[in-house]
Amino acid sequence: MTLRAVVKGVGHYLPERVVPNSEFEETIDTSDEWIRSRSGIERRHFAADGQTTSDLGIRAAKAALADAGLEADDLDAIVVATSTADFTFPSAATMIQSGLGMTRGFAFDVQAVCAGFVFALTNANGLILSGQAKRVLVIGAETFSRIMDWEDRGTCVLFGDGAGALILEGEEGAGSTDDRGILATDLNSDGTYRDILYVDGGVSTGTTGHLRMQGKEVFRHAIEKLAQTAHTSLEKIGLSGDDVDWIVPHQANLRIIKGTAQKMGVPMDRVVVTVQDHGNTSAASIPLALSVGKERGQIKQGDLVVTEAIGGGLAWGSVVIRW
Ligand SMILES: CC(C)(COP(=O)(O)OP(=O)(O)OC[C@H]1O[C@@H](n2cnc3c(N)ncnc32)[C@H](O)[C@@H]1OP(=O)(O)O)[C@@H](O)C(=O)NCCC(=O)NCCS
């Protein structure tokens, strides 16, 4: 018998305000056509004034708890992937813990920018396999609209706000790749690339700062590193792209999503794509896509799902899940 971290529920929340590409045409030198053709993005959601990352996370968490048929106090831990926590501290995770009325267990944040959800899932898997926790709520929640420079057309049209959540529970499997649950993980980072994607604020500047990106440079690394990490985690369990039912990639750019799928030898009809509706929601993009993919009837129990993501750091990684 092998202990596995099995998905018990999934949910998401998107803020009400939907912003189409055309809205940017009024304030910066851009066009709907440019944004669509270079990124695949058609619209994104922006949080309302005063609506915080933990607010979005709480809504997504409640949806995942309802999907799993669980209450907050059935959880042992909450792991939140975010780079846009409401405050420097306490963590978004403890804010969400209190917002859910959870009075037991523990909660903490993981910060690996757009790769955050893959890092959080891997941490949650470790907590379950080591016996620290039986049930873990893993959330990706972001309000990137708070760190946009609205005059920088190379970045402000690409990002959006939202949250997604997944509940994992320890369950015995047979030890084969037919088991439900997390089957393999792969994490990487290389801080020498920190200057190509970063926020120019924080405790060292006394400001929140704005996102800065050398888009072409990030693009250059993305497909190569995403395909590599997906290959590495599949290879750990003797599987390949042919075995994959769904790639659920980080939703940053449709051209990156297509290039990575092609390199993995997986056709686009086996890729969950939400970037057109959400933009890049950083650590929230994968759990949002998992939840929407399930809602659309794409992801079904027993499917082999590969998630892969890259972001600031650079940090990148992948997780293979039997849904
Ligand atoms: C940002 C990105 C969409 C830009 O696409 P690109 O094809 O590389 O475009 P370039 O950066 O070469 O820009 C081409 C031109 O479009 C212009 N441009 C940039 N943003 C624009 C916008 N919103 N509207 C119109 N023109 C724009 C640039 O200024 C440049 O003009 P120039 O040639 O006169 O200087 C692309 O590089 C990308 O997606 N990179 C990865 C970003 C990413 O995924 N980041 C998150 C990872 S987590």
Side-chain angles (χ1 to χ4, degrees):
M1 299 292 264
T2 305
L3 188 59
R4 302 286 193 192
V6 176
V7 176
K8 290 291 170 180
V10 64
H12 70 273
Y13 175 74
L14 289 158
E16 268 175 40
R17 184 170 165 227
V18 178
V19 176
N21 291 344
S22 55
E23 215 173 293
F24 290 97
E25 293 173 353
E26 296 160 19
T27 52
I28 50 171
D29 181 14
T30 191
S31 65
D32 175 45
E33 199 284 325
W34 191 95
I35 302 168
R36 271 176 206 255
S37 63
R38 299 300 176 103
S39 71
I41 297 165
E42 298 172 19
R43 61 193 70 81
R44 75 286 291 138
H45 294 245
F46 283 154
D49 286 346
Q51 196 176 29
T52 64
T53 291
S54 66
D55 293 333
L56 309 190
I58 290 166
R59 302 284 284 262
K62 285 183 174 168
L65 283 165
D67 188 47
L70 294 171
E71 304 287 334
D73 272 341
D74 295 327
L75 301 168
D76 300 310
I78 301 176
V79 185
V80 177
T82 189
S83 304
T84 48
D86 311 8
F87 298 104
T88 304
F89 73 79
S91 64
T94 52
M95 306 274 292
I96 292 170
Q97 181 188 26
S98 124
L100 291 174
M102 178 178 160
T103 54
R104 57 185 297 277
F106 58 95
F108 63 95
D109 287 359
V110 165
Q111 211 271 50
V113 202
C114 295
F117 194 73
V118 162
F119 279 67
L121 267 187
T122 302
N123 269 275
N125 187 45
L127 291 173
I128 289 172
L129 299 193
S130 66
Q132 284 281 313
K134 184 166 163 53
R135 279 198 202 104
V136 184
L137 170 64
V138 191
I139 301 171
E142 303 277 18
T143 46
F144 262 51
S145 63
R146 305 284 188 246
I147 52 168
M148 287 298 111
D149 173 350
W150 299 110
E151 289 175 2
D152 178 8
R153 65 178 183 168
T155 55
C156 73
V157 300
L158 300 175
F159 292 87
D161 301 336
L166 197 76
I167 294 170
L168 294 173
E169 183 175 324
E171 220 171 76
E172 292 293 342
S176 81
T177 56
D178 290 336
D179 289 351
R180 289 191 65 208
I182 293 180
L183 300 178
T185 62
D186 177 59
L187 300 182
N188 311 269
S189 66
D190 185 343
T192 59
Y193 296 116
R194 65 183 184 276
D195 291 343
I196 67 173
L197 179 52
Y198 67 101
V199 170
D200 60 3
V203 287
S204 60
T205 62
T207 61
T208 306
H210 294 119
L211 184 144
R212 305 294 174 203
M213 177 169 74
Q214 296 172 34
K216 257 194 174 19
E217 275 303 296
V218 176
F219 197 98
R220 204 168 61 77
H221 287 282
I223 296 174
E224 195 65 38
K225 289 184 164 51
L226 289 171
Q228 181 58 53
T229 181
H231 174 75
T232 301
S233 54
L234 283 166
E235 200 177 35
K236 284 182 184 175
I237 48 172
L239 299 180
S240 72
D242 293 341
D243 302 299
V244 174
D245 294 302
W246 293 104
I247 301 177
V248 182
H250 170 47
Q251 311 281 325
N253 184 307
L254 188 57
R255 291 185 295 150
I256 294 175
I257 293 172
K258 283 183 175 168
T260 307
Q262 191 179 22
K263 236 182 155 63
M264 288 172 65
V266 176
M268 279 306 288
D269 61 5
R270 288 197 271 135
V271 182
V272 176
V273 181
T274 56
V275 70
Q276 69 281 4
D277 298 324
H278 302 167
N280 182 349
T281 58
S282 191
S285 89
I286 287 177
L288 267 165
L290 287 169
S291 181
V292 169
K294 187 194 165 198
E295 225 171 55
R296 286 180 187 157
Q298 292 176 306
I299 304 170
K300 296 189 195 68
Q301 192 164 316
D303 283 352
L304 192 79
V305 175
V306 177
T307 64
E308 30 91 343
I310 186 165
L314 294 175
W316 67 101
S318 59
V319 176
V320 182
I321 311 166
R322 176 77 64 193
W323 196 259

